[in-house]
Amino acid sequence: MEVGKEAEPNTTTMRKALLIINCIILSIGNCAGPLMMRLYFIHGGKRVWFSSWLETGAWPIILFPIACAYFHRSRTQPTSQNKLFFMTPNLFLAAAFIGILTGFDDYLYAFGVARLPVSTSSLIIASQLAFTAGFAFVLVKQKFTSYSINAVFLLTIGAGVLAMHTSGDRPANESNREYVLGFLMTLGASALYGFILPLVELTYKKAKQEISYALVMEIQIVMCLFATGVCTIGMLLNNDFKVISREASEYELGESNYYIIVICSAIIWQCFFLGAIGVIFCASSLLSGIIIAVLLPVTEILAVIFYKESFHAEKGVALALSLWGFLSYFYGEIKDSKKTKPPLQTEMASVSDRQESV
């Protein structure tokens, strides 16, 4: 009995620690990823498919922690139980399908960032929470409270307010048609990724094997591998490979800085995707969507500071509605957690009383 009592708190503590680590990783990728991508475009980068490829192209980095986990297990587990990869064929196919969708989502997002200021694209991406909530309700039967519904409503209204001023911060060298197309493509990326997050959670639930964090990293590799494959095909069709060296030599910040930006961008985006599916593993797809949305104001402020982007009244209203929505959601979560704690404590007390009576 004592062993069981000790094991459960340890597992809970480990899960909480893993959740915090993944939140940090997700925060780094979510805030820095759009800024690095926009930096590529505003100083002479023009290859949308190549920029899409960078979002998942650093997937081999994940092989390192997988290898470390394997060698750790080889010391603590029998050789017959230790494997480098645990993924079953069915799970592999599911991850591959999600990866293909991610590849197209990468393109939609990169297309939008190429034509919109970061502060604008970030506010549009805030609508992703509404799509995540809707698809989570359909796919994984996510339960809603009045607070979470209010949060989704406010974020959706915020995106609508922003749409009323679609050309106010349009770059000088860009047509109104391109700007509107960028707006729509970013909204499409928001909707598609809002579908992908609950789909990952559904894959975890339907997998006919235990989902460990090592397996989560394997899923990440397969997803990014197939997403990178989609973007590689796009690059081949668009002849991106032939012009990268020329684009680097003509880059405004210099050729060496071009490659530094490209490499850093790939690594940072890998943090985003690993953090996102890690949060889903530790909690839920809705929480992953909430964290992504919560960090968007940070990205907007950084974009205004570093890129001198305009911040007109509509953006201010949209930001205020977004923050209101975030506060509503987290207040509801805190209130809900307080409600659920007393029954648990009462139940534990009653169990303890029964054991003493025995």
Side-chain angles (χ1 to χ4, degrees), residues 82-341:
N82 188 25
K83 297 186 293 184
L84 182 58
F85 295 106
F86 294 94
M87 188 177 293
T88 61
N90 288 338
L91 191 55
F92 176 87
L93 291 174
F97 175 72
I98 297 172
I100 292 170
L101 292 180
T102 302
F104 288 110
D105 182 72
D106 290 345
Y107 177 77
L108 292 174
Y109 181 73
F111 189 97
V113 172
R115 287 158 177 80
L116 302 177
V118 175
S119 56
T120 302
S121 62
S122 295
L123 283 169
I124 299 171
I125 290 296
S127 65
Q128 175 187 303
L129 182 58
F131 294 111
T132 301
F135 286 121
F137 177 77
V138 174
L139 295 177
V140 295
K141 311 303 179 186
Q142 176 72 47
K143 293 181 180 179
F144 287 97
T145 64
S146 59
Y147 298 101
S148 60
I149 292 172
N150 184 52
V152 170
F153 174 75
L154 289 170
L155 287 164
T156 305
I157 294 297
V161 169
L162 188 64
M164 295 168 61
H165 195 89
T166 54
S167 60
D169 56 354
R170 175 169 54 88
N173 60 343
E174 191 172 289
S175 67
N176 189 60
R177 179 181 175 279
E178 288 179 328
Y179 187 91
V180 172
L181 186 59
F183 187 99
L184 294 175
M185 293 287 262
T186 306
L187 189 61
S190 176
L192 183 54
Y193 201 67
F195 172 69
I196 288 172
L197 290 177
L199 193 59
V200 171
E201 185 176 357
L202 181 65
T203 301
Y204 290 165
K205 290 186 174 183
K206 295 293 183 180
K208 297 179 180 178
Q209 63 181 115
E210 182 183 355
I211 302 294
S212 63
Y213 192 68
L215 185 57
V216 168
M217 289 190 288
E218 292 177 29
I219 294 171
Q220 166 74 357
I221 283 182
V222 175
M223 286 171 54
C224 288
L225 176 63
F226 279 84
T228 305
V230 170
C231 296
T232 301
I233 294 171
M235 288 180 67
L236 289 169
L237 295 174
N238 202 41
N239 295 320
D240 281 7
F241 288 105
K242 295 180 180 179
V243 300
I244 288 176
S245 58
R246 187 178 74 237
E247 184 177 77
S249 62
E250 297 173 353
Y251 197 62
E252 292 177 7
L253 299 180
E255 187 172 357
S256 58
N257 285 330
Y258 176 89
Y259 289 112
I260 290 172
I261 290 169
V262 162
I263 293 169
C264 290
S265 181
I267 294 171
I268 288 170
W269 277 118
Q270 198 58 221
C271 291
F272 171 80
F273 285 106
L274 181 60
I277 69 168
V279 171
I280 295 172
F281 166 73
C282 297
S284 68
S285 58
L286 184 60
L287 179 60
S288 185
I290 287 288
I291 292 172
I292 292 171
V294 163
L295 294 168
L296 292 175
V298 179
T299 307
E300 294 159 21
I301 294 169
L302 291 173
V304 172
I305 294 171
F306 290 113
Y307 298 152
K308 311 299 180 185
E309 294 182 358
S310 63
F311 199 83
H312 49 71
E314 285 81 359
K315 285 185 181 180
V317 173
L319 179 58
L321 289 171
S322 297
L323 291 173
W324 185 7
F326 304 149
L327 291 173
S328 173
Y329 177 84
F330 284 114
Y331 177 76
E333 287 295 298
I334 293 169
K335 195 171 182 180
D336 188 58
S337 65
K338 287 181 178 179
K339 284 182 180 179
T340 55
K341 279 183 180 179

